[in-house]
Amino acid sequence: MSKSSNAIAEREEFTYLEDVQTVKKTSQSEDIGEDTAVVTVSTSERQRTLMEMMSGGSKSSANQANKKAKVTSSDKLTISSETRSIASPPKPSPSGKQSLNSIPFSMTAFLESLNDEEKQLLALECETMGKSWLKVLKDEIKKEYFLQLKRFLWKEGVKGPEDPVPNVYPAPKNIYTWSHTPLGRLRVVIIGQDPYHGPNQAHGLSFSVPRGVKVPGSLQNIYKELKAEYPGFTPPKHGNLTEWANSGVLLLNTALTVRAGKAGSHSNKGWEEFTDKVVEVVDKYGGANLASGTGEESAGLGRGIVFLAWGAWAAKRVVKLNKTKHLILHSAHPSPLSASRGFLGNGHFKKANEWLEARYGKESIVDWCKLDPAQ
């Protein structure tokens, strides 16, 4: 048996329900037994356990990590806490299609399916990608095109989540920040092109920058449009859109990395095929756990969400989507070079909420103005 197998918890098969709206919450000091139906684990605790599994950590330490749950406060995404069900998985939907919450996923089994090179190349995905996404993308990241992409990134210096990479953005640990918005709770997708290529700008969410970084021109125009649609909106002095991600807005770039100072430098390396697959998964499962607004069960399958496709690049990503199932809104890109040619005045934020309210009820709308105005 391999070293990683020694770290297998007593119950190996899990169904990840991190995107279910109603979960059992636990206090910081509460002990949770092995037979508890639902266990809530902090992201940092989850990643530590994964690292132990991949490096051959002891079974006892792995079990100890699973016996207690910790609820921690953080400036990171607040809806990304992972919930693992160790009871019987939910039944398939009445339509016969497998529901999102019934898809089981065992990290141990997945790791044991990888050869040594794949374990090395895919360690970043296993440690940092949200599990509601990894369980539906696990086969995709084993495809040869994605492994070729990872070999390219390895040569660029992108390896482990904490490895310093001065010439590639965002930092490895932030490449999959977008995936911390759980798949089943998505309401809106905003598609960008590639990450900002200036120092300290990119942090894994399209159009967003960390606090303390100058608000980019495109985001200034986004704020300007928001102000036009919602006059009470006060544009913040920062450009951090994490609050939107917390509200079920997927901020997805088409290419997920870029070389410093060279826009588009990691395009056509494989990211586009991968993010097309992400959009395909969203088409099937996005919003699967949103309340219907009529009291009907969602059956764990997506019933449509809103796509904001700004610019020709984003338009290509949504061309195959069902326009009856989803609301797909097109306009020019918010870049200062094109915003005046159709982005400003497009009314997309209000249109998105009107559609969401009609489809899912008032509880589903996005509070676009909920961005702390303080620096």
Side-chain angles (χ1 to χ4, degrees):
M1 184 177 291
S2 66
K3 289 184 177 180
S4 62
S5 298
N6 292 331
I8 301 175
E10 291 182 5
R11 290 176 175 83
E12 177 179 312
E13 294 294 336
F14 298 112
T15 298
Y16 287 90
L17 304 181
E18 65 181 353
D19 42 15
V20 177
Q21 287 181 309
T22 303
V23 298
K24 176 181 178 179
K25 296 182 180 179
T26 61
S27 66
Q28 191 164 0
S29 60
E30 180 181 357
D31 288 337
I32 300 179
E34 290 291 338
D35 293 328
T36 305
V38 177
V39 180
T40 302
V41 184
S42 70
T43 302
S44 60
E45 198 71 26
R46 176 187 73 201
Q47 292 181 1
R48 184 177 69 182
T49 304
L50 291 179
M51 293 173 70
E52 289 170 351
M53 290 171 64
M54 299 186 74
S55 62
S58 68
K59 179 177 179 179
S60 61
S61 63
N63 285 342
Q64 185 64 29
N66 281 329
K67 285 184 179 179
K68 288 194 176 183
K70 295 181 180 179
V71 179
T72 59
S73 59
S74 171
D75 290 334
K76 296 181 180 179
L77 300 188
T78 59
I79 58 174
S80 63
S81 294
E82 172 191 309
T83 304
R84 303 186 298 177
S85 170
I86 56 180
S88 300
K91 297 179 181 179
S93 68
S95 67
K97 297 179 181 179
Q98 190 171 26
S99 66
L100 175 62
N101 300 334
S102 71
I103 301 173
F105 179 69
S106 165
M107 179 61 74
T108 298
F110 179 65
L111 292 174
E112 290 183 344
S113 75
L114 306 177
N115 61 38
D116 289 344
E117 184 198 25
E118 290 170 341
K119 287 179 181 177
Q120 181 184 65
L121 292 175
L122 300 178
L124 182 66
E125 284 68 28
C126 291
E127 292 183 39
T128 64
M129 187 180 290
K131 293 303 170 288
S132 67
W133 293 92
L134 182 57
K135 73 177 183 178
V136 293
L137 294 170
K138 59 182 175 61
D139 294 330
E140 192 71 15
I141 64 176
K142 292 175 65 176
K143 291 182 177 179
E144 183 57 28
Y145 87 87
F146 194 84
L147 295 175
Q148 281 291 94
L149 167 64
K150 292 310 301 284
R151 293 182 188 110
F152 164 76
L153 291 172
W154 192 271
K155 292 179 181 178
E156 292 277 276
V158 179
K159 299 177 182 179
E162 301 301 330
D163 292 336
V165 189
N167 297 318
V168 175
Y169 305 134
K173 65 181 179 180
N174 292 330
I175 290 173
Y176 296 104
T177 299
W178 56 269
S179 71
H180 299 165
T181 301
L183 175 56
R185 294 174 65 181
L186 290 187
R187 292 161 168 78
V188 179
V189 178
I190 300 179
I191 300 175
Q193 187 165 347
D194 62 352
Y196 295 119
H197 55 270
N200 304 313
Q201 289 184 304
H203 67 142
L205 302 175
S206 63
F207 295 103
S208 180
V209 294
R211 291 172 184 267
V213 176
K214 182 181 178 181
V215 179
S218 293
L219 187 50
Q220 290 181 31
N221 284 326
I222 290 173
Y223 287 166
K224 187 181 295 185
E225 175 59 24
L226 258 180
K227 180 70 173 178
E229 296 183 38
Y230 296 96
F233 171 63
T234 300
K237 297 178 181 179
H238 64 83
N240 192 321
L241 301 180
T242 297
E243 283 293 342
W244 287 3
N246 288 341
S247 300
V249 179
L250 184 68
L251 298 167
L252 179 70
N253 280 315
T254 303
L256 301 185
T257 57
V258 67
R259 192 173 297 147
K262 297 182 179 180
S265 51
H266 285 184
S267 296
N268 301 315
K269 302 292 185 182
W271 279 132
E272 292 84 357
E273 186 171 350
F274 175 72
T275 50
D276 278 349
K277 181 63 176 182
V278 171
V279 171
E280 180 183 319
V281 166
V282 172
D283 180 31
K284 185 174 183 179
Y285 291 117
N289 293 310
L290 294 179
S292 66
T294 63
E296 298 178 357
E297 294 294 328
S298 68
L301 298 173
R303 288 162 292 140
I305 60 173
V306 179
F307 287 83
L308 303 184
W310 298 334
W313 194 266
K316 292 178 182 178
R317 309 271 78 81
V318 300
V319 68
K320 296 180 181 179
L321 294 177
N322 185 326
K323 295 178 177 59
T324 301
K325 178 179 181 179
H326 306 287
L327 175 65
I328 304 172
L329 299 175
H330 295 267
S331 81
H333 193 276
S335 163
L337 300 176
S338 57
S340 62
R341 297 200 297 269
F343 175 80
L344 296 174
N346 64 21
H348 281 185
F349 299 107
K350 274 197 168 182
K351 290 176 182 177
N353 273 347
E354 288 168 357
W355 187 91
L356 287 169
E357 182 175 354
R359 178 67 60 96
Y360 297 107
K362 288 185 178 181
E363 294 299 318
S364 70
I365 66 174
V366 177
D367 187 353
W368 298 107
C369 302
K370 189 181 177 182
L371 293 171
D372 183 0
Q375 182 66 35

